[in-house]
Amino acid sequence: MFVVIAAGAVACAQAQGDLSQMVNDAQDLYEAGRHEDAVRMATSIVTRAPDDYRGYLTRGLAHEAELRFGPAIDDYTLAIQHEPKRAGFYMRRGSVRFFARDIDGSIADFDKVAELEPEQRPNLWQRGISYYYARQYKECAAQFALHRSVN
């Protein structure tokens, strides 16, 4: 019995190692500007490990780099579903939503960043710009007044 359990543990560790290598390879492809290859590799990761946020995140980054905002938003949303407390994921999606002209969505994401990491609130100049485009000038002015404390 112990041999079977040990063999299973080794197989799981190897599979996790393979997955981590795939993630590293996809990230390397993205960083090298080989975005289509990164999308393909990240899609393989998502297929193999649909509960692992890293495939969605990497694929979202590659889509974003190619200005495919809809697929990037979809992938960031999936990453958020798996890791809902990661402020950086909301930041990425908020930025892409802004460029996709989903201003209200971008504000919601930047608000979530401020909720998850209140110390970042002064740094969220993007939030101020989104407020401006939403014609929420009072909120825009308040965000930039706060931003002056750090810049």
Side-chain angles (χ1 to χ4, degrees):
M1 179 76 168
F2 177 74
V3 173
V4 172
I5 293 171
V10 169
C12 287
Q14 287 174 335
Q16 184 60 37
D18 291 346
L19 183 63
S20 292
Q21 185 58 54
M22 289 175 71
V23 170
N24 289 339
D25 292 346
Q27 291 170 344
D28 289 346
L29 290 166
Y30 163 73
E31 290 171 8
R34 295 176 54 192
H35 302 136
E36 295 307 319
D37 292 332
V39 166
R40 280 191 284 282
M41 177 68 74
T43 298
S44 295
I45 295 165
V46 166
T47 301
R48 182 173 177 185
D51 293 331
D52 191 317
Y53 74 90
R54 297 175 298 175
Y56 301 111
L57 178 62
T58 303
R59 192 169 64 183
L61 290 166
H63 282 308
E64 180 182 352
E66 292 296 317
L67 307 180
R68 292 188 296 260
F69 300 136
I73 291 167
D74 292 344
D75 279 328
Y76 293 147
T77 299
L78 289 165
I80 287 167
Q81 287 174 359
H82 291 87
E83 294 285 328
K85 301 226 184 272
R86 290 200 181 219
F89 294 178
Y90 293 95
M91 192 70 196
R92 293 246 45 112
R93 188 176 68 179
S95 295
V96 175
R97 281 180 160 174
F98 176 83
F99 287 112
R101 297 187 177 144
D102 176 6
I103 304 304
D104 291 338
S106 72
I107 291 170
D109 281 342
F110 297 142
D111 285 350
K112 188 68 176 179
V113 173
E115 175 190 322
L116 290 170
E117 295 183 359
E119 70 280 5
Q120 291 301 317
R121 186 178 292 267
N123 296 309
L124 294 173
W125 57 267
Q126 300 90 331
R127 185 174 182 234
I129 292 173
S130 290
Y131 279 134
Y132 175 82
Y133 277 90
R135 298 174 189 246
Q136 296 179 31
Y137 302 121
K138 182 178 175 184
E139 292 84 354
C140 172
Q143 179 61 49
F144 280 108
L146 186 58
H147 183 63
R148 279 195 288 275
S149 70
V150 295
N151 187 3

